[in-house]
Amino acid sequence: MNRRSVLQTLGAGVAVAGSGCLGGGGEVIVSVQQDVTVEPGNAWMETEIPDLSESGGAIEYIVRAEQAFDVYFFSDESDFEQYNAYIKGDDPDSTPPGNSDFSQAAVPAEGSELYEATTDNGGNRQSVESTGPYYFAVDHSSYRMENRVEEFDDSLQAFVDLKVIRKRSLI
């Protein structure tokens, strides 16, 4: 079974397992389930995530790949601009770490040869307590020197399962 098939199979299993998880109520306003390819020194980003601060909401994600990577979730536009400047090859003033509740380095998944980054409890819903706009990035660069990536390294092949849920009004 090739790498893409493994990632797609795992992603499809997660989608089936999580399909009934909206019992807590809410409207899915961003849903991404796809394979992504990230060149060395770059990132795959979801930048169209609306502010949830008025209505309340949550995020859930699972990202898997055969090599190490980082996930950054920015809830501060100026922090994201610093990150984006780095990805575009500029030398930003600082390298903010992103929202500490959601940003993390992928770790080897238990019982698997894949690396994985998830929201709490294996990809379950986690409340977003900060104001937006929000930015989500699967990083394959040397940003913050947490994960060294050289320009001649292999591209990152990852499966991204990301959902952003807005709480439903009780009215």
Side-chain angles (χ1 to χ4, degrees):
M1 187 179 278
N2 70 28
R3 172 181 0 184
R4 184 162 290 203
S5 295
V6 169
L7 294 172
Q8 286 176 330
T9 301
L10 286 170
V14 168
V16 169
S19 63
C21 291
L22 288 177
E27 171 191 6
V28 176
I29 57 173
V30 174
S31 180
V32 176
Q33 290 182 325
Q34 70 181 53
D35 289 313
V36 300
T37 300
V38 184
E39 297 302 320
N42 213 329
W44 175 87
M45 294 184 239
E46 179 61 46
T47 59
E48 302 290 323
I49 303 174
D51 189 349
L52 300 170
S53 58
E54 283 191 33
S55 63
I59 182 174
E60 59 185 59
Y61 72 82
I62 299 174
V63 181
R64 291 189 176 105
E66 289 185 337
Q67 63 196 88
F69 60 92
D70 295 301
V71 166
Y72 294 104
F73 181 79
F74 293 97
S75 52
D76 180 286
E77 191 166 13
S78 63
D79 285 355
F80 174 72
E81 288 171 0
Q82 297 290 316
Y83 174 76
N84 200 32
Y86 178 88
I87 292 300
K88 289 180 177 177
D90 294 337
D91 188 18
D93 296 334
S94 65
T95 55
N99 184 308
S100 62
D101 291 336
F102 301 100
S103 300
Q104 62 182 293
V107 296
E110 191 172 322
S112 174
E113 294 181 17
L114 299 175
Y115 285 84
E116 178 179 84
T118 71
T119 44
D120 287 348
N121 299 315
N124 287 324
R125 236 183 243 193
Q126 193 172 334
S127 291
V128 177
E129 302 297 331
S130 57
T131 59
Y134 313 107
Y135 308 90
F136 182 87
V138 176
D139 182 84
H140 188 47
S141 75
S142 294
Y143 182 72
R144 298 180 52 82
M145 296 301 183
E146 293 171 342
N147 202 2
R148 298 284 186 139
V149 178
E150 304 298 329
E151 66 182 73
F152 51 84
D153 286 347
D154 290 337
S155 298
L156 175 71
Q157 304 291 324
F159 182 81
V160 176
D161 185 357
L162 168 68
K163 288 185 185 65
V164 179
I165 301 102
R166 180 185 344 230
K167 286 185 181 174
R168 285 196 179 132
S169 173
L170 298 175
I171 297 174

